[in-house]
Every structure is written in structure tokens, then in C-alpha cells.
Amino acid sequence: MSEQTPTVIPFQGAGSGQAPSQIFFTMQEMQAILNVYGRMVAAGQWKDYAMSPGREIASIAFYRNASERPVYEIVKNPALRKKQGAFSILSAQGKVLKRGHDLDNLLKFFDRKLIKLV
């Protein structure tokens, strides 16, 4: 019997050490973001959203009306993860409102937007 050794072909995907061609939000990040989006839609604050993956950043923008500028934008920039944090919330004017490493803590920014005085 001849003994054959299997040929191992390296996969050029996620574990190869190369940077991905586009940045996306993970499934857990999207779930957290869409939970906030659903609460804001139910409160009548937002009506639409748009996602944009890219080579350096990924973003999701929220709109009060589809024809307007986004009210808020959540940006994921992995290049800043060791410095200021990979996630940030931008205003309609592009000003950074909050930045951090943990998306769940960052999304607490929108909790105060849901509080209404009775």
C-alpha cells in the first residue's frame, strides 16, 4: 500500500492576516443597531436607514424622512479600534457626538432621545 499525504491548501479568507476588501458590521453589531432603529421608528423619530460598506469604514445612516440628510450616522472604523474606539456616532452636520470601543455602550446615547416628559 502506498501512503498518500494530504495536500493542504491555505484558505485566503479571514484567517490569512490580510485586511478585508470591505468593512462590514458583524451580525451582533447589526442586531444591536437595528434594535435601536426599531425603537426609534416605533417612537416616530426615524423612518428610514441606509447602510454603506467601504474599504476603510462601514456606516449606517438614519433618516427622519427619506428625502432629507441623515439625522445620525453610526460609523465603524477598525483603524481607530486601538486608539479612540472603532465606533462613533455622527450628527447631521458630521460632528462626532460619541466615540467608543463598545457598541452597546455607544448605543445608550439614543436612550435619552426616547425619554419624553409627560
Side-chain angles (χ1 to χ4, degrees):
M1 289 188 160
S2 71
E3 196 172 307
Q4 295 180 345
T5 59
T7 304
V8 178
I9 300 172
F11 177 66
Q12 298 298 322
S16 66
Q18 297 174 350
S21 61
Q22 285 195 334
I23 306 298
F24 293 97
F25 288 100
T26 65
M27 189 61 124
Q28 293 83 12
E29 293 166 352
M30 280 304 300
Q31 184 176 8
I33 291 168
L34 292 178
N35 283 340
V36 170
Y37 173 73
R39 290 186 309 181
M40 297 300 272
V41 167
Q45 303 253 345
W46 297 344
K47 299 202 184 317
D48 200 6
Y49 71 94
M51 294 184 350
S52 175
R55 290 190 165 272
E56 296 178 10
I57 65 168
S59 68
I60 183 166
F62 303 105
Y63 298 87
R64 186 166 287 133
N65 293 316
S67 62
E68 295 179 354
R69 293 175 46 138
V71 180
Y72 295 103
E73 187 174 1
I74 297 175
V75 176
K76 178 180 181 179
N77 188 349
L80 296 177
R81 76 176 173 270
K82 291 184 179 179
K83 297 176 183 174
Q84 302 163 343
F87 302 101
S88 58
I89 298 175
L90 305 178
S91 69
Q93 294 78 26
K95 179 181 175 188
V96 176
L97 299 175
K98 192 164 184 177
R99 187 182 305 253
H101 297 280
D102 185 25
L103 182 62
D104 291 328
N105 286 334
L106 192 78
L107 293 176
K108 290 179 183 176
F109 171 82
F110 296 110
D111 288 345
R112 65 184 172 144
K113 303 289 181 193
L114 290 171
I115 298 173
K116 293 183 179 180
L117 294 174
V118 179

